[in-house]
C-alpha cells in the first residue's frame, strides 16, 4: 500500500532540500502531521514572505530586504575598500570581527571545473562596475582550491585596473571555510593580508 498522494507530495518537497534523504523526508512529513494548524499556516506564510522579501543587494549581492543592503546604504563605511567573499554567510562572519569597516562584494560561488561554474555564473562583472574611488580590494574567498583559483583570476583583472589587491588566508586552515573560522583567526587573517 502506498502513502496518500498529499503525503507523498510533501515528502517530495522535503527531498528536494539539501541533505534530506527519503527517510528524513518521511520523518518530517509525519512531524507536519502532528503540527497544529496555526503553526503550519505560520510556516507556510513565513516561507512565502521569505521568498517575496529577501533579495540580493543590487550593488554588492549580499542578502537584504529591499533593493540595497544595510552595508551599502551606510555612508559612514569606508567606500574605498571592497572585501570580496563567496557567500552572504561570509559577510556575516566578517562583520562579527568588527574591525572591518569597508564594503563587500558577494560572488555567490567560485570558479569550479568540477561544478562547471564559470565566471559568467558568478557576480563578477558588477564588481568591475563599482571600482570608481576604490583604493583596495581584499580577496577573501575561502582557502580552497576553487577559492584560490577565483582569487587569482580576480587579482589579474584588478591589476589591469591598477587597484591595490590583497589576499587574506594567512592563518586560515587550507580547505576551510571563512564562515567556520573564529573571530580572532579572521581578524588575524584580515590584518595579515598580503598584496598580490
Ligand atoms: Zn549591498
Amino acid at each position: 500500500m502506498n502513502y496518500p498522494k498529499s503525503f507523498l507530495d510533501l515528502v517530495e518537497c522535503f527531498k528536494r532540500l539539501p541533505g534530506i534523504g527519503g527517510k528524513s523526508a518521511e520523518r518530517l512529513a509525519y512531524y507536519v502531521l502532528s503540527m497544529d494548524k496555526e503553526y503550519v499556516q505560520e510556516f507556510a506564510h513565513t516561507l512565502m514572505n521569505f521568498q517575496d522579501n529577501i533579495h540580493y543587494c543590487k550593488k554588492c549581492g549580499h542578502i537584504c530586504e529591499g533593493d540595497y543592503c544595510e552595508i551599502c546604504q551606510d555612508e559612514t563605511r569606508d567606500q574605498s575598500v571592497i572585501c570580496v567573499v563567496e557567500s552572504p554567510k561570509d559577510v556575516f562572519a566578517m562583520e562579527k570581527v568588527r574591525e572591518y569597516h569597508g564594503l563587500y562584494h558577494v560572488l555567490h560561488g567560485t570558479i569550479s571545473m568540477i561544478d562547471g561554474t564559470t565566471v559568467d555564473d558568478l557576480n563578477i562583472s558588477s564588481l568591475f562596475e563599482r571600482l570608481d574611488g576604490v583604493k583596495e580590494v581584499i580577496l577573501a574567498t575561502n582557502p580552497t582550491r576553487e577559492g584560490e583559483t577565483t582569487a587569482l583570476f580576480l587579482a589579474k583583472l584588478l591589476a589591469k585596473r591598477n587597484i591595490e589587491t590583497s589576499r587574506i588566508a594567512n592563518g586560515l586552515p587550507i580547505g576551510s571555510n571563512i564562515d567556520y573560522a573564529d573571530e580572532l583567526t579572521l581578524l588575524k587573517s584580515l590584518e595579515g593580508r598580503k598584496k598580490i
Side-chain angles (χ1 to χ4, degrees), residues 11-23:
V11 169
E12 280 306 312
C13 280
F14 283 132
K15 268 168 73 177
R16 280 190 242 157
L17 295 172
I20 304 287
K23 286 279 171 226

Side-chain angles (χ1 to χ4, degrees), residues 57-60 63-77 79 103 130:
C57 172
K58 286 184 174 173
K59 194 172 176 189
C60 74
I63 52 171
C64 60
E65 288 184 334
D67 287 343
Y68 299 99
C69 73
E70 268 179 48
I71 295 167
C72 285
Q73 290 186 74
D74 184 351
E75 289 174 2
T76 66
R77 296 194 69 118
Q79 310 286 314
L103 304 175
R130 56 181 291 219

Side-chain angles (χ1 to χ4, degrees), residues 2-48:
N2 289 326
Y3 280 115
K5 185 182 178 303
S6 301
F7 191 98
L8 284 178
D9 287 346
L10 187 59
V11 169
E12 280 306 312
C13 280
F14 283 132
K15 268 168 73 177
R16 280 190 242 157
L17 295 172
I20 304 287
K23 286 279 171 226
S24 298
E26 275 179 27
R27 192 169 47 81
L28 287 168
Y30 274 112
Y31 181 72
V32 174
L33 207 57
S34 73
M35 285 160 67
D36 60 41
K37 196 169 183 177
E38 286 76 30
Y39 184 12
V40 175
Q41 281 174 339
E42 185 195 331
F43 202 150
H45 175 75
T46 305
L47 272 179
M48 297 299 290

Side-chain angles (χ1 to χ4, degrees), residues 153-168:
F153 174 83
L154 291 174
K156 279 181 189 164
L157 289 180
L158 289 162
K160 286 183 192 162
R161 295 281 296 264
N162 282 330
I163 305 273
E164 186 181 312
T165 307
S166 56
R167 174 85 178 111
I168 71 158

Side-chain angles (χ1 to χ4, degrees), residues 29-124:
Y30 274 112
Y31 181 72
V32 174
L33 207 57
S34 73
M35 285 160 67
D36 60 41
K37 196 169 183 177
E38 286 76 30
Y39 184 12
V40 175
Q41 281 174 339
E42 185 195 331
F43 202 150
H45 175 75
T46 305
L47 272 179
M48 297 299 290
N49 191 52
F50 180 94
Q51 192 169 53
D52 287 343
N53 294 311
I54 300 291
H55 307 288
Y56 292 131
C57 172
K58 286 184 174 173
K59 194 172 176 189
C60 74
H62 189 36
I63 52 171
C64 60
E65 288 184 334
D67 287 343
Y68 299 99
C69 73
E70 268 179 48
I71 295 167
C72 285
Q73 290 186 74
D74 184 351
E75 289 174 2
T76 66
R77 296 194 69 118
D78 186 349
Q79 310 286 314
S80 71
V81 188
I82 296 178
C83 179
V84 176
V85 293
E86 290 181 24
S87 86
K89 282 186 288 187
D90 303 329
V91 174
F92 291 109
M94 293 290 289
E95 283 298 282
K96 275 195 233 154
V97 176
R98 295 180 184 275
E99 293 295 321
Y100 178 71
H101 305 294
L103 304 175
Y104 292 94
H105 196 83
V106 184
L107 299 176
H108 296 289
T110 48
I111 299 166
S112 168
M113 304 280 263
I114 299 163
D115 301 341
T117 310
T118 67
V119 175
D120 295 335
D121 298 319
L122 303 174
N123 185 30
I124 284 181

